[in-house]
Amino acid sequence: MPTITFYGAAQEVTGSCHLISSSSLGDVLLDCGMHQGMRAKHLISKEQFSFNPASIDMVILSHAHLDHSGRLPCLVHEGFVGPIYCTEATAQLLPIMLFDALSLYENDLRRENRKRSRKGLADISAQYNKEDVLNVLECLKPFPYKQQVDIGNGALVRFYDAGHILGSAIVELTLDDHGKQKKLVFSGDLGNTDTLLMNDPVHLDTADIVLMEGTYGDREHKTLGDTQKQLQEILSNAFARGGNVMIPAFAVGRTQELLLYLGKLQQAGLLDNWQIFLDSPMAIEVTSVYDQWLPNLDCEGIKTLCTGEQTLLKNFLSTLHLMVDAEDSMAINKISKGALIIAGSGMCTGGRITHHFKHRIWDSRNTVIFVGYQANGTLGRILVDGARHVKLFGEDIIVKANIETLNGFSAHAGQAALIEWVSHFKTNPKVVLVHGEPDALEALACKLEQMHNIQADIPILGDMIEF
């Protein structure tokens, strides 16, 4: 009988990693993600895997976000040599994601080893390198949505649009179990149906077991109209104060959605005179990939961009400035007012946004707008929870900037959408909730039982279940 062992995103939001073992197909890894906010000293001082990477026969990757893909180079470094199945757009995004993560990792490692040298301690060796990233990319086996692919020994895999980010997939895996077919559906990250850019998640109706994310299992998002109105009001108030706006944004998904919202406001004459700075080389590169796929995305949201004359990076937002070099980024500090800065990292665990915080978060004229989920322990979560002092680059800095949260920008489905998605299954599958904090998963499980008599399991790290 096939089993699933949960090695990540079990009662936590990040680190997606689930091991499927079966007599017919061997060991299959669903995702291989890193924990958000993991720095070099933590990444290296802890054992990376609770299984032997060399024993894994293949990886099925739901999408390119690092909390689902970020440990693939470590997996390869430690002996994995099999195929990595993913969608075509994921294969385009993954090099950008993994090389950026490698750069940050190597910087962290150098910093940590300098500290160790000053204490007379030996250097920590790198867990992976550029060659490992290149080997990951060599392992990729991309294919389109809805195409069923034979992955050996009677097993089939098919991807459906999850509507979360470009290339994100719901995974349908069919296994042969002693002559009987068993079907597993893994939701990956399900998208928010009320957005401008992405398609709605596809509904499926047949499965023996469903692994479903529950990031927002305990709450709903504001509607698209309410979110646009709230954003316009926040920006209008910030402009009237003569301040600047800082938006920590994930390079994949959130940034592109945000650019579309800002463009819509500008077209409606509601953006004041903001100068918009996309201060993220990674986000710029990712957005260029999105531009290639615009006709495949939500036509209602982006039909004005599909004429060939406009893209998210070209001619749609007239005051958009692309800041690639570090010198460009530092030049923004000279602007005293009217700068709207979009920069990573999305949870403020590093990147250029932290430098902008250092220069501006102590000024009450300025505003920080959070447009995405902030995991426990991250600087973003600390600020959202109301911290009045933060430590940045070794300095204790007072927080006087206005802190705003727009949860309508979320790329994840809210509670009602999650319940609606899983209720489409007609085969009474076993439901397992992953990728969510305990309170969110418990709330979702209670609602599923109340509304549809679905008894959902909530595994902890290391749990194994049969199906």
Side-chain angles (χ1 to χ4, degrees):
M1 183 174 288
T3 63
I4 308 173
T5 308
F6 301 90
Y7 288 113
Q11 298 195 31
E12 58 185 345
V13 171
T14 60
S16 181
C17 187
H18 314 296
L19 179 61
I20 302 169
S21 299
S22 69
S23 58
S24 61
L25 195 57
D27 290 334
V28 180
L29 210 58
L30 285 177
D31 288 346
C32 190
M34 65 188 298
H35 289 84
Q36 188 68 42
M38 185 181 286
R39 308 296 289 188
K41 60 182 178 182
H42 303 301
L43 181 66
I44 294 167
S45 64
K46 297 179 181 178
E47 182 179 346
Q48 280 301 288
F49 298 106
S50 300
F51 52 85
N52 179 9
S55 72
I56 302 298
D57 295 289
M58 64 188 70
V59 175
I60 300 174
L61 182 62
S62 67
H63 64 286
H65 273 152
L66 289 176
D67 63 327
H68 293 256
S69 70
R71 288 197 296 166
L72 286 172
C74 291
L75 192 77
V76 167
H77 187 88
E78 296 188 28
F80 172 75
V81 294
I84 301 171
Y85 295 100
C86 64
T87 65
E88 295 168 307
T90 294
Q92 282 186 263
L93 291 173
L94 209 57
I96 305 170
M97 304 293 290
L98 294 183
F99 279 118
D100 183 78
L102 174 64
S103 176
L104 294 174
Y105 171 69
E106 289 178 335
N107 287 339
D108 274 357
L109 183 59
R110 281 192 292 268
R111 189 178 300 113
E112 183 65 18
N113 280 335
R114 282 197 298 270
K115 292 179 182 178
R116 291 175 66 86
S117 294
R118 289 193 289 268
K119 297 176 182 178
L121 301 174
D123 283 356
I124 301 171
S125 299
Q127 284 281 0
Y128 75 99
N129 53 39
K130 180 179 179 181
E131 183 178 354
D132 296 317
V133 175
L134 292 172
N135 286 336
V136 167
L137 302 181
E138 285 293 319
C139 291
L140 296 182
K141 304 291 182 185
F143 57 91
Y145 287 130
K146 298 185 179 180
Q147 178 179 317
Q148 194 170 62
V149 175
D150 186 339
I151 57 175
N153 297 319
L156 303 167
V157 67
R158 179 156 35 193
F159 292 133
Y160 296 90
D161 194 347
H164 173 61
I165 64 167
L166 184 66
S168 61
I170 299 162
V171 177
E172 179 187 78
L173 176 63
T174 305
L175 298 171
D176 178 76
D177 181 31
H178 303 289
K180 181 182 178 181
Q181 283 195 334
K182 294 283 185 73
K183 186 178 289 186
L184 175 147
V185 171
F186 173 43
S187 72
D189 285 354
L190 292 173
N192 184 355
T193 57
D194 198 14
T195 65
L196 287 171
L197 188 58
M198 301 306 299
N199 295 310
D200 290 349
V202 172
H203 289 111
L204 304 181
D205 58 14
T206 305
D208 295 292
I209 185 168
V210 176
L211 272 61
M212 184 175 74
E213 69 116 327
T215 309
Y216 286 95
D218 58 348
R219 73 196 87 166
E220 298 295 351
H221 305 307
K222 291 189 176 180
T223 66
L224 179 64
D226 287 344
T227 301
Q228 288 177 304
K229 182 179 179 182
Q230 187 183 1
L231 175 61
Q232 190 271 323
E233 289 175 350
I234 292 170
L235 292 179
S236 180
N237 291 336
F239 199 82
R241 282 195 300 271
N244 302 279
V245 168
M246 296 164 283
I247 306 181
F250 298 95
V252 184
R254 209 63 45 82
T255 291
Q256 293 73 37
E257 191 82 25
L258 185 58
L259 291 175
L260 195 53
Y261 273 71
L262 293 171
K264 294 285 187 182
L265 287 177
Q266 187 179 77
Q267 289 179 353
L270 299 173
L271 195 56
D272 294 312
N273 195 31
W274 288 105
Q275 294 298 304
I276 299 163
F277 298 92
L278 182 51
D279 189 22
S280 167
M282 181 181 173
I284 293 167
E285 192 173 0
V286 166
T287 307
S288 71
V289 176
Y290 267 75
D291 283 342
Q292 297 172 35
W293 289 88
L294 284 179
N296 298 84
L297 300 179
D298 186 348
C299 292
E300 284 303 309
I302 59 171
K303 57 187 176 183
T304 59
L305 302 180
C306 294
T307 63
E309 300 296 325
Q310 292 179 314
T311 67
L312 291 169
L313 289 179
K314 181 182 177 184
N315 300 330
F316 182 61
L317 195 51
S318 65
T319 57
L320 178 63
H321 307 276
L322 307 179
M323 316 305 280
V324 176
D325 298 330
E327 293 78 10
D328 296 333
S329 178
M330 289 186 286
I332 303 173
N333 295 330
K334 299 175 184 177
I335 300 172
S336 61
K337 62 180 182 179
L340 191 159
I341 307 159
I342 303 168
S345 68
M347 296 189 191
C348 313
T349 53
R352 293 183 179 181
I353 195 66
T354 55
H355 291 272
H356 293 299
F357 281 177
K358 178 182 177 181
H359 286 277
R360 302 185 189 273
I361 204 166
W362 44 266
D363 189 333
S364 62
R365 294 173 301 168
N366 296 328
T367 300
V368 179
I369 305 177
F370 287 98
V371 294
Y373 186 85
Q374 304 299 310
N376 274 330
T378 62
L379 175 58
R381 182 64 164 263
I382 291 168
L383 288 168
V384 167
D385 286 345
R388 301 317 301 167
H389 290 265
V390 293
K391 181 153 282 192
L392 292 168
F393 307 101
E395 292 184 44
D396 184 68
I397 298 176
I398 192 168
V399 178
K400 288 188 176 181
N402 300 273
I403 308 297
E404 302 280 358
T405 300
L406 285 174
N407 69 12
F409 273 106
S410 177
H412 287 267
Q415 185 189 75
L418 290 167
I419 293 170
E420 197 266 341
W421 183 82
V422 78
S423 70
H424 278 259
F425 288 93
K426 300 175 182 177
T427 52
N428 193 31
K430 185 181 193 70
V431 175
V432 181
L433 302 181
V434 295
H435 207 285
E437 292 177 2
D439 289 349
L441 299 183
E442 289 287 353
L444 180 57
C446 287
K447 281 288 186 180
L448 287 172
E449 184 173 4
Q450 291 169 8
M451 296 176 66
H452 297 284
N453 198 30
I454 294 173
Q455 304 284 330
D457 290 350
I458 304 175
I460 62 173
L461 200 65
D463 272 359
M464 176 192 291
I465 61 172
E466 296 180 337
F467 69 98

